[in-house]
């Protein structure tokens, strides 16, 4: 059977996990994953060589993030995702909700800023350009919740419930662009919430949790809408190849269940990360207070005790 998505023969055998995880998929993402790992490893090695610390946990997190992209896009999951809505939804959820979280916990921007050399006074090099971008009006806009939350929601509803999805699936370039978009949206959405890297918007931890919960329910609603539909809602998947032995509506129900379930997974991961960051922040604050007290003989506490004593003397 010829599938219009990439103009290739998609007469695939019935899906199994072992078949889906066979090496294959898109060379664009394979090259991207290798480059990302290589550049990150170069940056970490540069810091270590000059005696600076870089947490191994961040390196592991970033590597896992790249690995999840490779699993979703550089295996036969990519082929099955062209003809099975459920497999495509697994790809989408990994790329947009799991990979971004792991990549952001790796703090790639912080690593880049520390690894790149300064250009010198009056000159602008890659490091200075990156700093300027981080402080630009453009970055302030795209990292603001008023932008990130609607974009996160629209990436689901405006894509799957319009003809745009069928159009993008009609060519290899369109499919790549869609997957890159999913990854970018996930990075933009989660960066202000739990990213370790510097950014223009860093609200308190409670507000970050509220931002997270403002977007997650819409994933659940989207999944429920797919599960409750009485007919296929996406044209590309209306007529799956007979060799797969699946029914389009049943496959769509599975896709909806996957979208609904994945709305819970990142919420747990992000909440754990936020609680841990909050705990570490409180520890750093406590250490700063202790160091200040050691330097000035705890004058703040002495002044407070004197204030309490003055209040007591007035009341007598």
């Amino acid at each position: 059977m010829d599938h219009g998505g990439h103009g290739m023969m998609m007469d695939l055998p019935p899906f199994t996990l072992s078949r889906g995880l066979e090496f294959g998929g898109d060379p664009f993402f394979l090259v991207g994953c290798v480059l990302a790992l290589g550049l990150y490893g170069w940056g970490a090695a540069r810091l270590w060589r000059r005696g600076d610390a870089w947490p191994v946990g961040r390196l592991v997190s970033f590597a896992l993030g790249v690995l999840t992209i490779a699993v979703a896009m550089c295996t036969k999951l990519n082929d099955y995702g062209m003809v099975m809505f459920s497999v495509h939804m697994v790809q989408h959820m990994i790329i947009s909700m799991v990979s971004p979280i792991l990549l952001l916990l790796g703090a790639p921007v912080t690593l880049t800023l520390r690894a790149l050399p300064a250009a010198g006074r009056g000159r602008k090099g890659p490091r200075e350009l990156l700093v300027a971008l981080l402080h630009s009006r453009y970055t302030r806009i795209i990292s603001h919740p008023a932008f990130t939350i609607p974009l996160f929601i629209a990436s689901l509803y405006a894509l799957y419930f319009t003809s745009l999805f069928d159009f993008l699936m009609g060519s290899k370039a369109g499919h790549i662009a869609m997957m890159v978009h999913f990854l970018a949206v996930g990075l933009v959405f989660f960066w202000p919430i739990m990213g370790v890297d510097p950014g223009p918007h860093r609200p308190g931890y409670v507000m970050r949790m509220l931002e997270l919960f403002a977007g997650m329910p819409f994933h659940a609603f989207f999944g429920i809408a797919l599960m409750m539909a009485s007919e296929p809602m996406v044209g590309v998947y209306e007529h799956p190849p007979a060799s797969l032995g699946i029914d389009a509506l049943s496959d769509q129900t599975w896709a909806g269940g996957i979208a609904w379930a994945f709305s819970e997974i990142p919420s747990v991961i992000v909440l754990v990360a936020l609680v841990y960051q909050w705990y570490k922040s409180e520890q750093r604050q406590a250490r700063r207070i202790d160091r200040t007290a050691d330097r000035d003989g705890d004058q703040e506490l002495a002044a407070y005790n004197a204030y309490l004593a003055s209040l007591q003397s007035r009341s007598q």
Side-chain angles (χ1 to χ4, degrees), residues 7-299:
M8 299 184 300
M9 295 301 292
M10 283 294 182
D11 201 18
L12 297 169
F15 177 81
T16 63
L17 185 59
S18 60
R19 286 172 179 161
L21 293 180
E22 291 177 3
F23 181 75
D26 201 299
F28 174 87
F29 282 93
L30 179 60
V31 172
C33 288
V34 171
L35 281 176
L37 283 177
L39 290 172
Y40 193 97
W42 170 83
R46 183 179 174 86
L47 293 188
W48 291 332
R49 280 197 303 269
R50 71 188 189 201
D52 292 342
W54 184 255
V56 175
R58 290 184 179 179
L59 187 149
V60 171
S61 178
F62 188 86
L64 287 175
V66 174
L67 178 63
T68 58
I69 296 174
V71 168
M73 300 304 304
C74 303
T75 64
K76 292 295 183 181
L77 288 178
N78 200 45
D79 291 339
Y80 279 99
M82 295 300 299
V83 290
M84 291 181 66
F85 199 2
S86 56
V87 177
H88 167 83
M89 194 56 65
V90 170
Q91 290 181 282
H92 179 174
M93 295 297 110
I94 291 174
I95 288 289
S96 67
M97 302 183 75
V98 178
S99 303
I101 294 171
L102 293 170
L103 293 175
L104 289 168
L105 287 175
V109 176
T110 301
L111 176 62
T112 303
L113 290 173
R114 292 183 60 185
L116 288 175
R121 181 175 297 180
R123 299 167 57 191
K124 284 191 176 182
R127 186 180 187 278
E128 288 71 25
L129 292 175
L130 178 57
V131 171
L133 177 62
L134 290 172
H135 291 88
S136 67
R137 182 180 180 185
Y138 168 78
T139 303
R140 288 197 300 271
I141 292 173
I142 67 167
S143 62
H144 195 280
F147 178 85
T148 60
I149 295 175
L151 178 66
F152 190 69
I153 297 168
S155 291
L156 280 175
Y157 294 89
L159 183 66
Y160 290 101
F161 294 160
T162 69
S163 59
L164 180 59
F165 182 81
D166 291 342
F167 171 76
L168 292 173
M169 290 287 282
S171 68
K172 184 175 181 179
H175 184 238
I176 291 174
M178 177 171 59
M179 289 301 180
V180 170
H181 170 77
F182 290 154
L183 178 61
V185 168
L187 289 170
V188 168
F189 177 75
F190 288 109
W191 175 34
I193 295 175
M194 45 68 64
V196 183
D197 289 320
H201 291 288
R202 278 295 183 270
Y205 288 98
V206 174
M207 285 302 300
R208 295 190 203 183
M209 293 178 186
L210 291 177
E211 287 181 27
L212 172 67
F213 290 123
M216 287 300 108
F218 290 93
H219 262 268
F221 298 153
F222 169 75
I224 292 171
L226 291 178
M227 294 170 68
M228 295 182 64
S230 57
E231 60 183 20
M233 301 178 67
V234 179
V236 167
Y237 299 114
E238 281 184 348
H239 305 289
S243 61
L244 293 174
I246 61 172
D247 173 69
L249 188 58
S250 298
D251 188 51
Q252 178 175 280
T253 302
W254 273 103
I258 290 165
W260 174 74
F262 260 91
S263 66
E264 306 298 326
I265 296 173
S267 299
V268 174
I269 297 174
V270 173
L271 279 176
V272 170
L274 281 176
V275 170
Y276 178 75
Q277 291 175 9
W278 197 348
Y279 168 73
K280 297 293 286 185
S281 175
E282 292 295 321
Q283 279 194 324
R284 287 193 298 269
Q285 180 67 18
R287 286 195 295 268
R288 281 196 294 268
I289 293 173
D290 290 341
R291 286 195 298 269
T292 302
D294 291 340
R295 286 195 302 268
D296 61 15
D298 216 348
Q299 293 180 4

